[in-house]
Amino acid sequence: MKQSRAYPGTCADKGTRAKVRTPPRQLTRAAQTRRTALWFVLPAVLFFLLLSAYPLLRVLWQSVRYANLVNPSISGFAGLDNFRTVLDDDDFLPALGNTALWTALSVTGEYALGLISALALNANVRGRAFFRAAIIVPWVIPIVVAGLTWTWMLTPEYGVLNLWLVQAGLIHAPIAWLGQTGTALLAVTLVNIWRSFPFYTISLLAALQAIPADLHEAAVIDGAGSWMRFRVITLPHLRVVSMTLIVIHIVWTAVNFDFIWVMTQGGPLNSSETLPIMIYRYALQNFDVGAGCALATMMMGFMASVFFMQYYGMRRIASSQAGTA
Amino acid sequence: MVIGKSAQRINSVVAYTVLVGFTIFCLFPFVWMLDTALKPLHEVQSLHPSLLILRPTLDNFRRVLFETSFPIYFRNSLIVAGSATILTLMIAVFCGYVLSRWPHTGIARTVGSALLLSQMIPGVLLLVPLYMLMRQFGLLSSYTGLIIVYCTFTVPLCVFMLKSFFDAVPGEIEQAAEMDGCSRTGFIYRILLPLSAPGILAAGAFAFINAWNEFMFGYVFINDDAHRTLTPGIMMFKSAHVTDWGGLMAASVLTVVPVAACFLYLQRFLIEGLASGAVKG
C-alpha cells in the first residue's frame, strides 16, 4: 500500500488493478476487503454456529424440558424438574465429591510434576532434546491406550506394578487397584497425571526460557542462593502461565469423560463416578435427555464462574505488576 | 554464568537424576506395552512378569491383524481422521488468513474470540445435543457424522496455529503479488500455501493426532463394527471376564505408530506452537 502511493507511476504500468487505487475508490477497497474477509471466515463461522453455539443453546433449552430419547411422548415444559431429578439423585453428591477430588488431585499432581520437569529441562544439560521428547510422549498418545496399558500394569494377577510393590515389601499381596472402591479413583487419577503433566512441562519450560539470564546473574552477585532466586525471580515469572494452566486444566479435568470410562466406567459401585459419567448415564443409558442437559447446564455454570474468577485474577496480577514496575 | 563450579556440578547432577527419573516414568508403560505384545501367551500370564522375554514372538500381532476387526477399525480411523484433517485445513487456511492479515477488524476479532471460546467448550457438554443432531440427520454410525463433529476441536486449533505461521510471511510479498495482478485467492494458493507448507503440515499433523486419539464421540456415535474407529474399537478388546492382554497390547502398539510418526515430525513445532498458541501469558 505504502509503496503504491509513493510510486504511482510503477503501479499504473501494472495494468487494470492500479485503477482501483484512485482516491474516490478507497472506500470501495475497504468494503471489498471486508467482503473477502467475510467469505473467508464464513465456513468456520458456520461450523462454529452449527456445532458449538447451537448445541450449547440446545443444552440450556432441553434442561427445562422433558425429553426422552426412546419415548417421544414424554415432552413439554419441565421448569426446574430436571434439576430436581439430578439434585435428588443419591449418586449426585458422591459424584460431585469424586469430581472435586479427581480434579484437585490431578491438577496438583500435574502442576508439581510439570514444574519439576520443566526446571530440570531448563538446566544446562546434554541430551535435552531427547529428555524433552521422552517427557512429552505420554501427552500425545490416545487416552484409551494410556488407560488400557496402565490397567494392564495394575492388574492384580499379572500386573508388573503389583509384583514390584510386593517385592519391595510395600504391600503383602497384589491389590486390585481398579476393582476396589477405595483405590479406583486414585489409580485413575495417577494415570491422568501421567498423561497430562507434559502439557505443563512444555508451557512452563517456555516461560522459564523467557526469563532473562542476567536477572539470575545479578541476583547471584547480590549473594542470593538458588532457593532465594527461585522464589524471587523464577516464581513471579511463572505466575501468569501457571494461573492459565491451572484454570484450563481445572475445567478440562472436571469434564473429562475418557479416562474414567476407559478404566473403570465409574465403578466399582459408582466409587469413581464423576459428573461427566453421570451425564452419559442419564442421556444415553437412561435416555433422560432433560436430566442430562440439566447436569450439563450446572457444569457450564461452574466453568463460567471458574473463567470469571480467572479473568479477575489475571487483571489483579496485571495491575499489581504494573504497580510495582 | 557467575555461579561457582561446584554448585554447577551439583545442579547438573540433580537435573540429570530428575530427568532420568521422569524419562523412565514416562516411557516405561510403552516399554511394557511392547514387551507384552512380543510375549507368548504363557509368559504374558506369568505370575512373575519380567522385562525379559524368553521366547519373543509376533503371534499377538498376527492374531490382531488377521483374526480380529482391528484392520477395519484402523482403516476407519484413517478415513475419519484423514478426512477431518483435510476438511479442517480447507476451512482453517482461509479463516487463519483473515485473522493474520486483518487482526484488528471487527470480523477477525469476533471470529477469533468465538473460536477461542469454542476451544474451551468441553466435548461432554456437547455430547447430548450433538448426538440428537446426528440422529436427526441420520448421521449416527456414519463417517460423515464423526468427521463433522471432529471439526469442533480441530478447526479452532488449526486456525490459531495457521495464523501464527501466516504472521511470519511478510506483507511485502503480498503487496508485490498484488501489484503483479495476483488476486487474493491466487496469492493464497500460489504463494502463501507453498511458503507456509511446513506450518500447514504441522497444523495438519496436530489435527490428525487429535482426531485419531478422540474416543468419546466415536464411542457414542458409532454403533456398528463396520464404521467403528480405533479408539473405541480397541476398548472392545477388553471384555468383562477374560482379556487377551497380549493381543490388546499389540493393538495398542499399532495404534500408537501413526501418532508417533506425526509426533516425530511435529516435535520442533509443537514446543513453540503450544507455548505461544495454547497458553498465551
Side-chain angles (χ1 to χ4, degrees), chain A:
Chain A
M1 278 286 263
K2 256 183 210 155
Q3 252 183 352
S4 67
R5 279 203 200 111
Y7 306 102
T10 50
C11 218
D13 293 339
K14 297 294 176 195
T16 50
R17 283 196 66 84
K19 285 179 189 150
V20 186
R21 298 278 159 69
T22 47
R25 295 270 181 102
Q26 283 282 330
L27 257 181
T28 349
R29 191 177 152 79
Q32 236 174 24
T33 302
R34 208 166 57 224
R35 216 171 51 204
T36 323
L38 263 178
W39 275 113
F40 281 4
V41 298
L42 191 67
V45 169
L46 284 181
F47 266 83
F48 169 75
L49 289 178
L50 179 72
L51 295 170
S52 299
Y54 169 70
L56 273 187
L57 290 177
R58 189 139 171 190
V59 166
L60 294 177
W61 171 239
Q62 299 277 15
S63 70
V64 292
R65 295 190 58 87
Y66 294 112
N68 192 294
L69 268 181
V70 286
N71 187 351
S73 68
I74 302 176
S75 65
F77 186 68
L80 295 175
D81 263 12
N82 289 323
F83 292 90
R84 233 166 274 144
T85 309
V86 175
L87 293 173
D88 286 345
D89 193 325
D90 285 338
D91 291 332
F92 176 72
L93 279 183
L96 185 67
N98 284 341
T99 311
L101 187 70
W102 147 262
T103 308
L105 287 181
S106 295
V107 174
T108 315
E110 286 159 13
Y111 187 80
L113 291 192
L115 183 61
I116 296 170
S117 55
L119 286 171
L121 280 175
N122 196 39
N124 196 13
V125 292
R126 262 169 217 270
R128 261 192 341 196
F130 165 76
F131 287 123
R132 200 176 53 192
I135 290 175
I136 301 171
V137 163
W139 185 70
V140 193
I141 61 151
I143 290 181
V144 177
V145 171
L148 290 176
T149 306
W150 278 87
T151 307
W152 166 231
M153 299 203 303
L154 289 165
T155 49
E157 300 90 8
Y158 311 118
V160 68
L161 293 183
N162 270 313
L163 179 76
W164 285 351
L165 287 173
V166 172
Q167 278 174 350
L170 291 170
I171 54 176
H172 292 297
I175 293 175
W177 297 101
L178 294 164
Q180 290 184 339
T181 50
T183 53
L185 189 64
L186 295 178
V188 184
T189 306
L190 169 76
V191 180
N192 182 29
I193 293 175
W194 176 78
R195 185 179 183 268
S196 308
F197 90 85
F199 190 82
Y200 294 68
T201 308
I202 308 170
S203 313
L204 290 171
L205 182 62
L208 283 175
Q209 284 172 348
I211 302 176
D214 41 341
L215 274 184
H216 277 284
E217 283 168 27
V220 171
I221 292 167
D222 287 345
S226 46
W227 173 245
M228 182 76 163
R229 276 181 288 131
F230 177 71
R231 248 190 42 212
V232 178
I233 300 171
T234 312
L235 273 188
H237 270 97
L238 295 182
R239 213 152 60 170
V240 175
V241 183
S242 304
M243 184 128 170
T244 315
L245 274 173
I246 289 170
V247 167
I248 291 178
H249 276 84
I250 286 177
V251 171
W252 283 354
T253 312
V255 301
N256 183 289
F257 169 84
D258 300 11
F259 266 116
I260 299 175
W261 191 258
V262 167
M263 294 186 74
T264 67
Q265 308 214 344
L269 297 172
N270 293 346
S271 62
S272 60
E273 184 174 79
T274 55
L275 298 179
I277 306 277
M278 249 184 129
I279 294 181
Y280 176 87
R281 222 164 34 87
Y282 274 134
L284 293 148
Q285 285 182 346
N286 306 340
F287 308 117
D288 188 346
V289 171
C293 287
L295 184 50
T297 303
M298 288 194 253
M299 292 195 72
M300 269 157 61
F302 157 75
M303 290 187 321
S305 46
V306 170
F307 278 118
F308 183 75
M309 286 191 313
Q310 188 235 8
Y311 180 73
Y312 273 89
M314 292 289 237
R315 285 238 313 229
R316 274 186 46 193
I317 288 181
S319 62
S320 76
Q321 272 173 354
T324 51

Side-chain angles (χ1 to χ4, degrees), chain B residues 25-261:
Chain B
F25 176 59
C26 288
L27 292 187
F28 181 74
F30 295 101
V31 173
W32 196 243
M33 185 199 293
L34 192 63
D35 190 82
T36 307
L38 292 171
K39 276 179 182 169
L41 185 66
H42 65 273
E43 283 186 54
V44 171
Q45 292 182 340
S46 157
L47 292 178
H48 294 278
S50 78
L51 270 174
L52 197 75
I53 311 173
L54 296 175
R55 287 221 178 83
T57 168
L58 291 175
D59 197 47
N60 290 318
F61 288 97
R62 189 192 53 78
R63 208 168 51 250
V64 163
L65 285 174
F66 298 109
E67 289 167 23
T68 66
S69 310
F70 181 85
I72 301 175
Y73 301 154
F74 196 93
R75 187 200 62 195
N76 292 342
S77 265
L78 273 184
I79 294 173
V80 171
S83 315
T85 305
I86 292 168
L87 179 64
T88 299
L89 284 179
M90 291 196 308
I91 299 171
V93 160
F94 290 98
C95 190
Y97 173 82
V98 171
L99 260 57
S100 165
R101 287 297 122 132
W102 306 299
H104 301 299
T105 55
I107 297 170
R109 283 193 181 173
T110 319
V111 174
S113 35
L115 288 180
L116 199 67
L117 207 70
S118 78
Q119 220 178 1
M120 302 286 156
I121 302 169
V124 73
L125 298 187
L126 302 178
L127 183 66
V128 183
L130 282 176
Y131 180 84
M132 294 170 76
L133 200 69
M134 289 300 145
R135 207 168 69 145
Q136 226 169 322
F137 288 109
L139 291 175
L140 288 178
S141 288
S142 75
Y143 295 138
T144 321
L146 270 194
I147 293 168
I148 294 174
V149 165
Y150 283 178
C151 289
T152 48
F153 53 87
T154 49
V155 166
L157 212 82
C158 282
V159 166
F160 292 116
M161 265 182 99
L162 288 177
K163 177 197 176 296
S164 60
F165 284 116
F166 292 162
D167 284 344
V169 176
E172 282 81 10
I173 296 182
E174 184 167 4
Q175 283 147 25
E178 205 182 338
M179 271 186 265
D180 286 343
C182 200
S183 73
R184 189 100 51 202
T185 345
F187 166 75
I188 293 180
Y189 283 127
R190 282 191 221 148
I191 297 161
L192 188 67
L193 291 189
L195 271 182
S196 38
I200 288 165
L201 274 175
F206 203 42
F208 184 84
I209 288 185
N210 272 279
W212 183 268
N213 289 358
E214 203 283 330
F215 166 74
M216 186 180 64
F217 289 121
Y219 182 77
V220 174
F221 289 1
I222 304 281
N223 271 315
D224 67 347
D225 235 27
H227 291 93
R228 188 167 285 132
T229 52
L230 203 41
T231 40
I234 207 172
M235 201 176 144
M236 303 284 153
F237 277 62
K238 193 185 149 209
S239 76
H241 304 292
V242 191
T243 302
D244 168 14
W245 284 109
L248 183 51
M249 289 300 114
S252 298
V253 172
L254 294 173
T255 308
V256 171
V257 168
V259 182

